[in-house]
Amino acid sequence: QVQLVESGGGLVQPGGSLRLSCAASGSIFNIYAMGWYRQLPGKQRELVAVITTGGSTNYADSVKGRFTISRDNAKNTVSLQMSSLKPEDTGVYYCNADIKGIVTMRSNNYWGKGTLVTVSS
């Protein structure tokens, strides 16, 4: 029953900002690493940013300095604040998380359905 749902995607002008959010729901015991991936037109899915339960982060070189990932462990959410957006950032952004369910008490990897981000003037 565990699922991830993204929100916040949309159209933004180059140089603008956008904030994506992802909420995990279901029979969750604990959530470990959470991250954001994206699939750019004509390219394979790639890692954008990841954050551990302790708050350690890692970013793709292409977004470092422009994007900020954060999480709220109490709310089971992860966000991606995007600034100085470029047309090259256009694509579908996916939420990802390693989650231990109450039923199995084993960690599994989950994906959201994605949210479209379009950077265009």
Side-chain angles (χ1 to χ4, degrees):
Q1 295 184 17
V2 174
Q3 60 181 345
L4 302 175
V5 180
E6 305 97 334
S7 63
L11 175 65
V12 64
Q13 296 187 146
S17 299
L18 204 62
R19 186 179 182 86
L20 305 182
S21 295
C22 172
S25 62
S27 301
I28 299 170
F29 178 76
N30 200 11
I31 302 178
Y32 301 100
M34 303 186 80
W36 288 93
Y37 289 72
R38 68 185 182 186
Q39 185 168 20
L40 306 182
K43 297 184 178 180
Q44 65 181 31
R45 186 169 53 189
E46 64 183 23
L47 174 68
V48 176
V50 64
I51 184 169
T52 68
T53 54
S56 296
T57 60
N58 189 41
Y59 299 89
D61 289 339
S62 60
V63 307
K64 199 167 187 177
R66 299 187 298 120
F67 292 9
T68 300
I69 188 171
S70 61
R71 66 189 291 166
D72 187 330
N73 293 330
K75 297 181 179 179
N76 291 340
T77 60
V78 61
S79 298
L80 184 69
Q81 178 64 50
M82 305 181 291
S83 61
S84 301
L85 284 163
K86 308 173 181 179
E88 306 92 270
D89 294 318
T90 294
V92 178
Y93 285 69
Y94 298 89
C95 180
N96 177 262
D98 292 317
I99 302 174
K100 179 179 290 185
I102 293 176
V103 177
T104 65
M105 290 299 288
R106 290 194 294 270
S107 180
N108 289 296
N109 188 251
Y110 295 87
W111 290 93
K113 296 185 182 299
T115 184
L116 178 63
V117 172
T118 302
V119 184
S120 177
S121 59

PDB file of all heavy atoms in Angstrom, residues 58-96:
ATOM      1  N   ASN A  58      23.248  14.834  -1.810  1.00  0.00           N
ATOM      2  CA  ASN A  58      24.126  14.697  -2.959  1.00  0.00           C
ATOM      3  C   ASN A  58      23.354  15.165  -4.177  1.00  0.00           C
ATOM      4  O   ASN A  58      22.163  14.861  -4.314  1.00  0.00           O
ATOM      5  CB  ASN A  58      24.585  13.249  -3.142  1.00  0.00           C
ATOM      6  CG  ASN A  58      25.665  13.125  -4.196  1.00  0.00           C
ATOM      7  OD1 ASN A  58      26.568  13.948  -4.270  1.00  0.00           O
ATOM      8  ND2 ASN A  58      25.580  12.079  -5.005  1.00  0.00           N
ATOM      9  N   TYR A  59      24.022  15.900  -5.051  1.00  0.00           N
ATOM     10  CA  TYR A  59      23.376  16.460  -6.227  1.00  0.00           C
ATOM     11  C   TYR A  59      24.120  16.114  -7.501  1.00  0.00           C
ATOM     12  O   TYR A  59      25.337  15.937  -7.501  1.00  0.00           O
ATOM     13  CB  TYR A  59      23.306  17.982  -6.131  1.00  0.00           C
ATOM     14  CG  TYR A  59      22.512  18.511  -4.971  1.00  0.00           C
ATOM     15  CD1 TYR A  59      23.120  18.743  -3.738  1.00  0.00           C
ATOM     16  CD2 TYR A  59      21.158  18.804  -5.098  1.00  0.00           C
ATOM     17  CE1 TYR A  59      22.393  19.242  -2.667  1.00  0.00           C
ATOM     18  CE2 TYR A  59      20.428  19.298  -4.038  1.00  0.00           C
ATOM     19  CZ  TYR A  59      21.054  19.519  -2.824  1.00  0.00           C
ATOM     20  OH  TYR A  59      20.329  20.014  -1.757  1.00  0.00           O
ATOM     21  N   ALA A  60      23.375  16.052  -8.570  1.00  0.00           N
ATOM     22  CA  ALA A  60      23.988  15.911  -9.874  1.00  0.00           C
ATOM     23  C   ALA A  60      24.735  17.205 -10.175  1.00  0.00           C
ATOM     24  O   ALA A  60      24.305  18.283  -9.770  1.00  0.00           O
ATOM     25  CB  ALA A  60      22.926  15.659 -10.940  1.00  0.00           C
ATOM     26  N   ASP A  61      25.839  17.095 -10.869  1.00  0.00           N
ATOM     27  CA  ASP A  61      26.629  18.281 -11.183  1.00  0.00           C
ATOM     28  C   ASP A  61      25.824  19.328 -11.949  1.00  0.00           C
ATOM     29  O   ASP A  61      26.037  20.533 -11.790  1.00  0.00           O
ATOM     30  CB  ASP A  61      27.865  17.896 -11.999  1.00  0.00           C
ATOM     31  CG  ASP A  61      28.887  17.142 -11.181  1.00  0.00           C
ATOM     32  OD1 ASP A  61      28.864  17.242  -9.940  1.00  0.00           O
ATOM     33  OD2 ASP A  61      29.726  16.447 -11.788  1.00  0.00           O
ATOM     34  N   SER A  62      24.904  18.882 -12.755  1.00  0.00           N
ATOM     35  CA  SER A  62      24.128  19.789 -13.581  1.00  0.00           C
ATOM     36  C   SER A  62      23.171  20.679 -12.789  1.00  0.00           C
ATOM     37  O   SER A  62      22.736  21.716 -13.293  1.00  0.00           O
ATOM     38  CB  SER A  62      23.333  19.000 -14.628  1.00  0.00           C
ATOM     39  OG  SER A  62      22.453  18.081 -14.007  1.00  0.00           O
ATOM     40  N   VAL A  63      22.854  20.289 -11.564  1.00  0.00           N
ATOM     41  CA  VAL A  63      21.913  21.070 -10.766  1.00  0.00           C
ATOM     42  C   VAL A  63      22.528  21.625  -9.497  1.00  0.00           C
ATOM     43  O   VAL A  63      21.889  22.427  -8.799  1.00  0.00           O
ATOM     44  CB  VAL A  63      20.662  20.247 -10.393  1.00  0.00           C
ATOM     45  CG1 VAL A  63      20.038  19.636 -11.640  1.00  0.00           C
ATOM     46  CG2 VAL A  63      21.011  19.160  -9.380  1.00  0.00           C
ATOM     47  N   LYS A  64      23.724  21.235  -9.202  1.00  0.00           N
ATOM     48  CA  LYS A  64      24.384  21.665  -7.982  1.00  0.00           C
ATOM     49  C   LYS A  64      24.488  23.192  -7.932  1.00  0.00           C
ATOM     50  O   LYS A  64      24.919  23.828  -8.887  1.00  0.00           O
ATOM     51  CB  LYS A  64      25.773  21.043  -7.888  1.00  0.00           C
ATOM     52  CG  LYS A  64      26.356  21.055  -6.485  1.00  0.00           C
ATOM     53  CD  LYS A  64      27.583  20.159  -6.399  1.00  0.00           C
ATOM     54  CE  LYS A  64      28.072  20.019  -4.973  1.00  0.00           C
ATOM     55  NZ  LYS A  64      29.221  19.084  -4.880  1.00  0.00           N
ATOM     56  N   GLY A  65      24.076  23.750  -6.806  1.00  0.00           N
ATOM     57  CA  GLY A  65      24.092  25.192  -6.648  1.00  0.00           C
ATOM     58  C   GLY A  65      22.784  25.852  -7.038  1.00  0.00           C
ATOM     59  O   GLY A  65      22.550  27.019  -6.691  1.00  0.00           O
ATOM     60  N   ARG A  66      21.939  25.130  -7.741  1.00  0.00           N
ATOM     61  CA  ARG A  66      20.656  25.677  -8.177  1.00  0.00           C
ATOM     62  C   ARG A  66      19.475  24.996  -7.502  1.00  0.00           C
ATOM     63  O   ARG A  66      18.444  25.627  -7.259  1.00  0.00           O
ATOM     64  CB  ARG A  66      20.507  25.545  -9.694  1.00  0.00           C
ATOM     65  CG  ARG A  66      21.570  26.287 -10.480  1.00  0.00           C
ATOM     66  CD  ARG A  66      21.265  26.265 -11.975  1.00  0.00           C
ATOM     67  NE  ARG A  66      21.252  24.909 -12.515  1.00  0.00           N
ATOM     68  CZ  ARG A  66      20.190  24.346 -13.100  1.00  0.00           C
ATOM     69  NH1 ARG A  66      19.059  25.028 -13.218  1.00  0.00           N
ATOM     70  NH2 ARG A  66      20.272  23.113 -13.579  1.00  0.00           N
ATOM     71  N   PHE A  67      19.605  23.705  -7.232  1.00  0.00           N
ATOM     72  CA  PHE A  67      18.526  22.930  -6.618  1.00  0.00           C
ATOM     73  C   PHE A  67      18.867  22.602  -5.173  1.00  0.00           C
ATOM     74  O   PHE A  67      20.032  22.405  -4.827  1.00  0.00           O
ATOM     75  CB  PHE A  67      18.300  21.614  -7.361  1.00  0.00           C
ATOM     76  CG  PHE A  67      17.745  21.753  -8.748  1.00  0.00           C
ATOM     77  CD1 PHE A  67      17.633  22.990  -9.370  1.00  0.00           C
ATOM     78  CD2 PHE A  67      17.328  20.630  -9.440  1.00  0.00           C
ATOM     79  CE1 PHE A  67      17.121  23.111 -10.648  1.00  0.00           C
ATOM     80  CE2 PHE A  67      16.814  20.737 -10.725  1.00  0.00           C
ATOM     81  CZ  PHE A  67      16.707  21.979 -11.328  1.00  0.00           C
ATOM     82  N   THR A  68      17.850  22.513  -4.352  1.00  0.00           N
ATOM     83  CA  THR A  68      18.026  22.143  -2.958  1.00  0.00           C
ATOM     84  C   THR A  68      16.991  21.098  -2.570  1.00  0.00           C
ATOM     85  O   THR A  68      15.794  21.316  -2.735  1.00  0.00           O
ATOM     86  CB  THR A  68      17.883  23.359  -2.024  1.00  0.00           C
ATOM     87  OG1 THR A  68      18.858  24.346  -2.351  1.00  0.00           O
ATOM     88  CG2 THR A  68      18.088  22.930  -0.574  1.00  0.00           C
ATOM     89  N   ILE A  69      17.463  19.974  -2.060  1.00  0.00           N
ATOM     90  CA  ILE A  69      16.560  18.925  -1.618  1.00  0.00           C
ATOM     91  C   ILE A  69      16.427  18.983  -0.099  1.00  0.00           C
ATOM     92  O   ILE A  69      17.386  19.282   0.609  1.00  0.00           O
ATOM     93  CB  ILE A  69      17.059  17.533  -2.069  1.00  0.00           C
ATOM     94  CG1 ILE A  69      16.007  16.462  -1.771  1.00  0.00           C
ATOM     95  CG2 ILE A  69      18.390  17.186  -1.414  1.00  0.00           C
ATOM     96  CD1 ILE A  69      16.333  15.099  -2.384  1.00  0.00           C
ATOM     97  N   SER A  70      15.238  18.707   0.391  1.00  0.00           N
ATOM     98  CA  SER A  70      14.995  18.709   1.823  1.00  0.00           C
ATOM     99  C   SER A  70      13.922  17.678   2.142  1.00  0.00           C
ATOM    100  O   SER A  70      13.221  17.197   1.242  1.00  0.00           O
ATOM    101  CB  SER A  70      14.569  20.099   2.309  1.00  0.00           C
ATOM    102  OG  SER A  70      13.363  20.508   1.681  1.00  0.00           O
ATOM    103  N   ARG A  71      13.794  17.346   3.410  1.00  0.00           N
ATOM    104  CA  ARG A  71      12.784  16.369   3.802  1.00  0.00           C
ATOM    105  C   ARG A  71      12.226  16.693   5.174  1.00  0.00           C
ATOM    106  O   ARG A  71      12.861  17.366   5.987  1.00  0.00           O
ATOM    107  CB  ARG A  71      13.369  14.952   3.793  1.00  0.00           C
ATOM    108  CG  ARG A  71      14.461  14.717   4.839  1.00  0.00           C
ATOM    109  CD  ARG A  71      15.141  13.370   4.629  1.00  0.00           C
ATOM    110  NE  ARG A  71      14.263  12.252   4.939  1.00  0.00           N
ATOM    111  CZ  ARG A  71      14.505  10.995   4.595  1.00  0.00           C
ATOM    112  NH1 ARG A  71      15.605  10.702   3.896  1.00  0.00           N
ATOM    113  NH2 ARG A  71      13.655  10.030   4.933  1.00  0.00           N
ATOM    114  N   ASP A  72      11.045  16.189   5.415  1.00  0.00           N
ATOM    115  CA  ASP A  72      10.395  16.322   6.699  1.00  0.00           C
ATOM    116  C   ASP A  72      10.053  14.900   7.128  1.00  0.00           C
ATOM    117  O   ASP A  72       9.083  14.317   6.649  1.00  0.00           O
ATOM    118  CB  ASP A  72       9.141  17.179   6.602  1.00  0.00           C
ATOM    119  CG  ASP A  72       8.525  17.468   7.955  1.00  0.00           C
ATOM    120  OD1 ASP A  72       8.652  16.627   8.871  1.00  0.00           O
ATOM    121  OD2 ASP A  72       7.905  18.534   8.106  1.00  0.00           O
ATOM    122  N   ASN A  73      10.867  14.341   7.991  1.00  0.00           N
ATOM    123  CA  ASN A  73      10.684  12.955   8.397  1.00  0.00           C
ATOM    124  C   ASN A  73       9.355  12.704   9.124  1.00  0.00           C
ATOM    125  O   ASN A  73       8.784  11.620   9.027  1.00  0.00           O
ATOM    126  CB  ASN A  73      11.844  12.517   9.290  1.00  0.00           C
ATOM    127  CG  ASN A  73      13.158  12.462   8.535  1.00  0.00           C
ATOM    128  OD1 ASN A  73      13.188  12.196   7.333  1.00  0.00           O
ATOM    129  ND2 ASN A  73      14.260  12.708   9.238  1.00  0.00           N
ATOM    130  N   ALA A  74       8.895  13.694   9.843  1.00  0.00           N
ATOM    131  CA  ALA A  74       7.636  13.555  10.567  1.00  0.00           C
ATOM    132  C   ALA A  74       6.444  13.486   9.625  1.00  0.00           C
ATOM    133  O   ALA A  74       5.434  12.854   9.931  1.00  0.00           O
ATOM    134  CB  ALA A  74       7.463  14.699  11.555  1.00  0.00           C
ATOM    135  N   LYS A  75       6.563  14.138   8.478  1.00  0.00           N
ATOM    136  CA  LYS A  75       5.474  14.177   7.513  1.00  0.00           C
ATOM    137  C   LYS A  75       5.675  13.227   6.341  1.00  0.00           C
ATOM    138  O   LYS A  75       4.831  13.150   5.454  1.00  0.00           O
ATOM    139  CB  LYS A  75       5.287  15.593   6.983  1.00  0.00           C
ATOM    140  CG  LYS A  75       4.881  16.597   8.047  1.00  0.00           C
ATOM    141  CD  LYS A  75       4.698  17.981   7.448  1.00  0.00           C
ATOM    142  CE  LYS A  75       4.262  18.986   8.497  1.00  0.00           C
ATOM    143  NZ  LYS A  75       4.101  20.345   7.929  1.00  0.00           N
ATOM    144  N   ASN A  76       6.802  12.526   6.336  1.00  0.00           N
ATOM    145  CA  ASN A  76       7.125  11.597   5.252  1.00  0.00           C
ATOM    146  C   ASN A  76       7.108  12.288   3.892  1.00  0.00           C
ATOM    147  O   ASN A  76       6.551  11.781   2.918  1.00  0.00           O
ATOM    148  CB  ASN A  76       6.152  10.416   5.242  1.00  0.00           C
ATOM    149  CG  ASN A  76       6.326   9.503   6.437  1.00  0.00           C
ATOM    150  OD1 ASN A  76       7.368   9.496   7.089  1.00  0.00           O
ATOM    151  ND2 ASN A  76       5.304   8.720   6.737  1.00  0.00           N
ATOM    152  N   THR A  77       7.720  13.441   3.841  1.00  0.00           N
ATOM    153  CA  THR A  77       7.766  14.194   2.598  1.00  0.00           C
ATOM    154  C   THR A  77       9.194  14.581   2.235  1.00  0.00           C
ATOM    155  O   THR A  77      10.069  14.682   3.092  1.00  0.00           O
ATOM    156  CB  THR A  77       6.926  15.476   2.671  1.00  0.00           C
ATOM    157  OG1 THR A  77       7.422  16.320   3.721  1.00  0.00           O
ATOM    158  CG2 THR A  77       5.466  15.153   2.931  1.00  0.00           C
ATOM    159  N   VAL A  78       9.394  14.807   0.961  1.00  0.00           N
ATOM    160  CA  VAL A  78      10.666  15.297   0.452  1.00  0.00           C
ATOM    161  C   VAL A  78      10.346  16.356  -0.594  1.00  0.00           C
ATOM    162  O   VAL A  78       9.371  16.229  -1.340  1.00  0.00           O
ATOM    163  CB  VAL A  78      11.524  14.161  -0.159  1.00  0.00           C
ATOM    164  CG1 VAL A  78      10.807  13.514  -1.339  1.00  0.00           C
ATOM    165  CG2 VAL A  78      12.888  14.690  -0.581  1.00  0.00           C
ATOM    166  N   SER A  79      11.145  17.401  -0.618  1.00  0.00           N
ATOM    167  CA  SER A  79      10.914  18.502  -1.543  1.00  0.00           C
ATOM    168  C   SER A  79      12.158  18.806  -2.346  1.00  0.00           C
ATOM    169  O   SER A  79      13.270  18.468  -1.948  1.00  0.00           O
ATOM    170  CB  SER A  79      10.479  19.756  -0.786  1.00  0.00           C
ATOM    171  OG  SER A  79       9.260  19.551  -0.096  1.00  0.00           O
ATOM    172  N   LEU A  80      11.955  19.453  -3.461  1.00  0.00           N
ATOM    173  CA  LEU A  80      13.059  19.883  -4.312  1.00  0.00           C
ATOM    174  C   LEU A  80      12.792  21.320  -4.712  1.00  0.00           C
ATOM    175  O   LEU A  80      11.869  21.591  -5.483  1.00  0.00           O
ATOM    176  CB  LEU A  80      13.176  19.001  -5.556  1.00  0.00           C
ATOM    177  CG  LEU A  80      14.372  19.306  -6.463  1.00  0.00           C
ATOM    178  CD1 LEU A  80      15.672  18.921  -5.762  1.00  0.00           C
ATOM    179  CD2 LEU A  80      14.246  18.558  -7.786  1.00  0.00           C
ATOM    180  N   GLN A  81      13.582  22.222  -4.167  1.00  0.00           N
ATOM    181  CA  GLN A  81      13.476  23.628  -4.513  1.00  0.00           C
ATOM    182  C   GLN A  81      14.401  23.893  -5.687  1.00  0.00           C
ATOM    183  O   GLN A  81      15.613  23.714  -5.580  1.00  0.00           O
ATOM    184  CB  GLN A  81      13.861  24.506  -3.326  1.00  0.00           C
ATOM    185  CG  GLN A  81      13.835  26.000  -3.607  1.00  0.00           C
ATOM    186  CD  GLN A  81      12.446  26.509  -3.928  1.00  0.00           C
ATOM    187  OE1 GLN A  81      11.501  26.245  -3.206  1.00  0.00           O
ATOM    188  NE2 GLN A  81      12.319  27.232  -5.032  1.00  0.00           N
ATOM    189  N   MET A  82      13.831  24.303  -6.790  1.00  0.00           N
ATOM    190  CA  MET A  82      14.598  24.540  -7.999  1.00  0.00           C
ATOM    191  C   MET A  82      14.627  26.028  -8.318  1.00  0.00           C
ATOM    192  O   MET A  82      13.586  26.679  -8.361  1.00  0.00           O
ATOM    193  CB  MET A  82      13.991  23.774  -9.174  1.00  0.00           C
ATOM    194  CG  MET A  82      13.844  22.276  -8.926  1.00  0.00           C
ATOM    195  SD  MET A  82      13.162  21.385 -10.353  1.00  0.00           S
ATOM    196  CE  MET A  82      11.483  22.034 -10.335  1.00  0.00           C
ATOM    197  N   SER A  83      15.808  26.547  -8.542  1.00  0.00           N
ATOM    198  CA  SER A  83      15.964  27.947  -8.883  1.00  0.00           C
ATOM    199  C   SER A  83      16.885  28.074 -10.089  1.00  0.00           C
ATOM    200  O   SER A  83      17.554  27.120 -10.481  1.00  0.00           O
ATOM    201  CB  SER A  83      16.520  28.742  -7.695  1.00  0.00           C
ATOM    202  OG  SER A  83      17.798  28.269  -7.315  1.00  0.00           O
ATOM    203  N   SER A  84      16.916  29.278 -10.654  1.00  0.00           N
ATOM    204  CA  SER A  84      17.723  29.526 -11.845  1.00  0.00           C
ATOM    205  C   SER A  84      17.494  28.451 -12.897  1.00  0.00           C
ATOM    206  O   SER A  84      18.436  27.923 -13.496  1.00  0.00           O
ATOM    207  CB  SER A  84      19.211  29.594 -11.474  1.00  0.00           C
ATOM    208  OG  SER A  84      19.458  30.622 -10.540  1.00  0.00           O
ATOM    209  N   LEU A  85      16.247  28.144 -13.106  1.00  0.00           N
ATOM    210  CA  LEU A  85      15.892  27.068 -14.022  1.00  0.00           C
ATOM    211  C   LEU A  85      16.275  27.379 -15.464  1.00  0.00           C
ATOM    212  O   LEU A  85      16.202  28.522 -15.910  1.00  0.00           O
ATOM    213  CB  LEU A  85      14.398  26.776 -13.927  1.00  0.00           C
ATOM    214  CG  LEU A  85      13.984  25.984 -12.679  1.00  0.00           C
ATOM    215  CD1 LEU A  85      12.492  26.092 -12.438  1.00  0.00           C
ATOM    216  CD2 LEU A  85      14.400  24.527 -12.834  1.00  0.00           C
ATOM    217  N   LYS A  86      16.677  26.345 -16.151  1.00  0.00           N
ATOM    218  CA  LYS A  86      17.089  26.438 -17.534  1.00  0.00           C
ATOM    219  C   LYS A  86      16.187  25.574 -18.406  1.00  0.00           C
ATOM    220  O   LYS A  86      15.602  24.614 -17.920  1.00  0.00           O
ATOM    221  CB  LYS A  86      18.535  25.965 -17.692  1.00  0.00           C
ATOM    222  CG  LYS A  86      19.527  26.623 -16.757  1.00  0.00           C
ATOM    223  CD  LYS A  86      20.888  25.955 -16.876  1.00  0.00           C
ATOM    224  CE  LYS A  86      21.891  26.573 -15.928  1.00  0.00           C
ATOM    225  NZ  LYS A  86      23.219  25.911 -16.016  1.00  0.00           N
ATOM    226  N   PRO A  87      16.084  25.887 -19.679  1.00  0.00           N
ATOM    227  CA  PRO A  87      15.286  25.047 -20.574  1.00  0.00           C
ATOM    228  C   PRO A  87      15.749  23.591 -20.540  1.00  0.00           C
ATOM    229  O   PRO A  87      14.936  22.681 -20.707  1.00  0.00           O
ATOM    230  CB  PRO A  87      15.536  25.674 -21.949  1.00  0.00           C
ATOM    231  CG  PRO A  87      15.753  27.115 -21.646  1.00  0.00           C
ATOM    232  CD  PRO A  87      16.570  27.102 -20.367  1.00  0.00           C
ATOM    233  N   GLU A  88      17.029  23.377 -20.303  1.00  0.00           N
ATOM    234  CA  GLU A  88      17.587  22.035 -20.232  1.00  0.00           C
ATOM    235  C   GLU A  88      17.085  21.241 -19.032  1.00  0.00           C
ATOM    236  O   GLU A  88      17.308  20.034 -18.957  1.00  0.00           O
ATOM    237  CB  GLU A  88      19.121  22.088 -20.179  1.00  0.00           C
ATOM    238  CG  GLU A  88      19.749  22.878 -21.307  1.00  0.00           C
ATOM    239  CD  GLU A  88      19.969  24.328 -20.942  1.00  0.00           C
ATOM    240  OE1 GLU A  88      19.050  25.149 -21.182  1.00  0.00           O
ATOM    241  OE2 GLU A  88      21.058  24.651 -20.419  1.00  0.00           O
ATOM    242  N   ASP A  89      16.429  21.909 -18.093  1.00  0.00           N
ATOM    243  CA  ASP A  89      15.870  21.235 -16.931  1.00  0.00           C
ATOM    244  C   ASP A  89      14.502  20.640 -17.227  1.00  0.00           C
ATOM    245  O   ASP A  89      13.935  19.936 -16.388  1.00  0.00           O
ATOM    246  CB  ASP A  89      15.741  22.199 -15.753  1.00  0.00           C
ATOM    247  CG  ASP A  89      17.083  22.668 -15.227  1.00  0.00           C
ATOM    248  OD1 ASP A  89      18.004  21.843 -15.119  1.00  0.00           O
ATOM    249  OD2 ASP A  89      17.201  23.873 -14.921  1.00  0.00           O
ATOM    250  N   THR A  90      13.972  20.921 -18.381  1.00  0.00           N
ATOM    251  CA  THR A  90      12.652  20.439 -18.753  1.00  0.00           C
ATOM    252  C   THR A  90      12.602  18.913 -18.812  1.00  0.00           C
ATOM    253  O   THR A  90      13.442  18.274 -19.444  1.00  0.00           O
ATOM    254  CB  THR A  90      12.231  21.001 -20.119  1.00  0.00           C
ATOM    255  OG1 THR A  90      12.071  22.415 -20.019  1.00  0.00           O
ATOM    256  CG2 THR A  90      10.907  20.398 -20.579  1.00  0.00           C
ATOM    257  N   GLY A  91      11.617  18.352 -18.141  1.00  0.00           N
ATOM    258  CA  GLY A  91      11.471  16.913 -18.139  1.00  0.00           C
ATOM    259  C   GLY A  91      10.495  16.457 -17.068  1.00  0.00           C
ATOM    260  O   GLY A  91       9.890  17.268 -16.374  1.00  0.00           O
ATOM    261  N   VAL A  92      10.370  15.166 -16.937  1.00  0.00           N
ATOM    262  CA  VAL A  92       9.504  14.595 -15.916  1.00  0.00           C
ATOM    263  C   VAL A  92      10.342  14.267 -14.693  1.00  0.00           C
ATOM    264  O   VAL A  92      11.352  13.565 -14.797  1.00  0.00           O
ATOM    265  CB  VAL A  92       8.793  13.324 -16.419  1.00  0.00           C
ATOM    266  CG1 VAL A  92       7.927  12.725 -15.317  1.00  0.00           C
ATOM    267  CG2 VAL A  92       7.942  13.644 -17.642  1.00  0.00           C
ATOM    268  N   TYR A  93       9.923  14.768 -13.560  1.00  0.00           N
ATOM    269  CA  TYR A  93      10.653  14.564 -12.317  1.00  0.00           C
ATOM    270  C   TYR A  93       9.947  13.516 -11.463  1.00  0.00           C
ATOM    271  O   TYR A  93       8.744  13.585 -11.231  1.00  0.00           O
ATOM    272  CB  TYR A  93      10.764  15.884 -11.557  1.00  0.00           C
ATOM    273  CG  TYR A  93      11.773  16.826 -12.165  1.00  0.00           C
ATOM    274  CD1 TYR A  93      11.533  17.411 -13.408  1.00  0.00           C
ATOM    275  CD2 TYR A  93      12.975  17.113 -11.519  1.00  0.00           C
ATOM    276  CE1 TYR A  93      12.463  18.248 -13.995  1.00  0.00           C
ATOM    277  CE2 TYR A  93      13.908  17.957 -12.093  1.00  0.00           C
ATOM    278  CZ  TYR A  93      13.656  18.521 -13.328  1.00  0.00           C
ATOM    279  OH  TYR A  93      14.581  19.360 -13.896  1.00  0.00           O
ATOM    280  N   TYR A  94      10.735  12.555 -10.996  1.00  0.00           N
ATOM    281  CA  TYR A  94      10.197  11.446 -10.227  1.00  0.00           C
ATOM    282  C   TYR A  94      10.733  11.420  -8.804  1.00  0.00           C
ATOM    283  O   TYR A  94      11.919  11.638  -8.579  1.00  0.00           O
ATOM    284  CB  TYR A  94      10.560  10.115 -10.879  1.00  0.00           C
ATOM    285  CG  TYR A  94      10.002   9.916 -12.268  1.00  0.00           C
ATOM    286  CD1 TYR A  94      10.711  10.336 -13.390  1.00  0.00           C
ATOM    287  CD2 TYR A  94       8.773   9.290 -12.458  1.00  0.00           C
ATOM    288  CE1 TYR A  94      10.207  10.149 -14.667  1.00  0.00           C
ATOM    289  CE2 TYR A  94       8.271   9.097 -13.729  1.00  0.00           C
ATOM    290  CZ  TYR A  94       8.988   9.525 -14.828  1.00  0.00           C
ATOM    291  OH  TYR A  94       8.484   9.336 -16.096  1.00  0.00           O
ATOM    292  N   CYS A  95       9.870  11.114  -7.890  1.00  0.00           N
ATOM    293  CA  CYS A  95      10.256  10.932  -6.500  1.00  0.00           C
ATOM    294  C   CYS A  95      10.637   9.476  -6.286  1.00  0.00           C
ATOM    295  O   CYS A  95      10.014   8.574  -6.854  1.00  0.00           O
ATOM    296  CB  CYS A  95       9.085  11.308  -5.588  1.00  0.00           C
ATOM    297  SG  CYS A  95       9.406  11.128  -3.821  1.00  0.00           S
ATOM    298  N   ASN A  96      11.651   9.250  -5.481  1.00  0.00           N
ATOM    299  CA  ASN A  96      12.112   7.900  -5.198  1.00  0.00           C
ATOM    300  C   ASN A  96      12.454   7.777  -3.721  1.00  0.00           C
ATOM    301  O   ASN A  96      12.962   8.715  -3.116  1.00  0.00           O
ATOM    302  CB  ASN A  96      13.342   7.582  -6.051  1.00  0.00           C
ATOM    303  CG  ASN A  96      13.914   6.212  -5.766  1.00  0.00           C
ATOM    304  OD1 ASN A  96      14.878   6.075  -5.009  1.00  0.00           O
ATOM    305  ND2 ASN A  96      13.325   5.182  -6.352  1.00  0.00           N
TER     306      ASN A  96
END
